Amino acid sequence: MEVNALVIHPRDNVAVVLEDIPKGGAVRLAGGGTLRAREEIPCSHKVALVDLPRGTEVIKYGEVIGKAGEDIARGSWVHTHNLVLEE
C-alpha cells in the first residue's frame, strides 16, 4: 500500500494529498491509516482527517490556518470554498 497523503504535524486534522484522488478513492496515510475521499481532491490540496463542524479550527503544520466555514465531513476536500482563513 503506497502512501498518497502526508500528515505534516501530529496536531494536524488535515492531510495533504500527493496525487489527484478521485471521489471514492483511497487516501492512504503513513502508519497504515486509510480513508475514502468523499469528492475529488486535487494533488497538493487538503483532506479532512476527522469531521470538522462549522467553526472548528483547521490545523496544518501544527498551526491553526483557519476555521471550517461549514460542516466538513471526514474525507472531504478542504480548500477556500469551505475554509475561513485566519487573518
Side-chain angles (χ1 to χ4, degrees):
M1 176 173 85
E2 189 174 325
V3 171
N4 64 359
L6 287 178
V7 177
I8 298 168
H9 189 278
R11 287 190 56 219
D12 292 356
N13 55 16
V14 295
V16 177
V17 300
L18 303 175
E19 60 188 29
D20 291 339
I21 308 288
K23 180 178 180 176
V27 177
R28 297 178 304 274
L29 305 166
T34 301
L35 58 126
R36 291 279 165 207
R38 296 179 60 89
E39 57 199 304
E40 184 176 317
I41 305 170
C43 181
S44 77
H45 285 238
K46 296 173 291 300
V47 61
L49 297 174
V50 296
D51 289 338
L52 300 168
R54 180 185 182 110
T56 300
E57 292 179 336
V58 176
I59 302 171
K60 181 179 175 188
Y61 312 115
E63 301 291 332
V64 176
I65 62 165
K67 293 184 179 180
E70 59 188 55
D71 292 343
I72 304 172
R74 180 178 189 262
S76 294
W77 179 31
V78 178
H79 197 54
T80 56
H81 68 286
N82 58 8
L83 180 65
V84 178
L85 302 177
E86 291 290 292
E87 296 187 26

